[in-house]
Amino acid sequence: LDEPTSGLDSTTALHLVQLLRQLAAGGRAIITTIHQPSSRLYRQLDVVMLLAEGHVMYSGDANLAADWFGHFGFALPYGVSLADFILDCATGQVVADQATAD
């Protein structure tokens, strides 16, 4: 699915992703692109692939992304959504010194 949550409010987008999870639980493979997911929606994802300028920046378990970025000096600041943080990292909005200073 190509950005199925685009144009939806965050609650409706979350319900759509929960429906996709139900389909996946029934044995279907679900692959989708999600642009700027809310933190609630991000927590519904099993595996993510983060692209930056056409290159894979992270690929793996969604819940392990914070640990992976932290390993490279990009610690998730307290109170910041992981979804927002990794998007900021992908766009160059965060550098290692800024990430660990918070």
Side-chain angles (χ1 to χ4, degrees):
L1 304 168
D2 184 17
E3 296 192 31
T5 60
S6 290
L8 301 178
D9 62 79
S10 63
T11 300
T12 304
L14 179 62
H15 287 237
L16 175 61
V17 170
Q18 289 171 337
L19 173 64
L20 294 174
R21 285 187 62 80
Q22 290 173 358
L23 292 172
R28 292 174 178 86
I30 306 293
I31 299 173
T32 186
T33 56
I34 303 288
H35 184 258
Q36 293 183 310
S38 68
S39 59
R40 293 186 312 158
L41 192 149
Y42 184 87
R43 286 192 299 269
Q44 296 295 311
L45 305 177
D46 295 318
V47 176
V48 297
M49 179 182 289
L50 177 64
L51 302 175
E53 298 182 6
H55 300 280
V56 176
M57 186 172 197
Y58 174 78
S59 180
D61 291 338
N63 61 351
L64 297 178
D67 294 337
W68 190 86
F69 279 94
H71 176 76
F72 295 101
F74 295 90
L76 176 64
Y78 178 78
V80 174
S81 158
L82 176 57
D84 290 340
F85 181 70
I86 63 175
L87 288 173
D88 288 346
C89 288
T91 59
Q93 299 299 312
V94 176
V95 294
D97 292 337
Q98 287 178 328
T100 56
D102 289 344

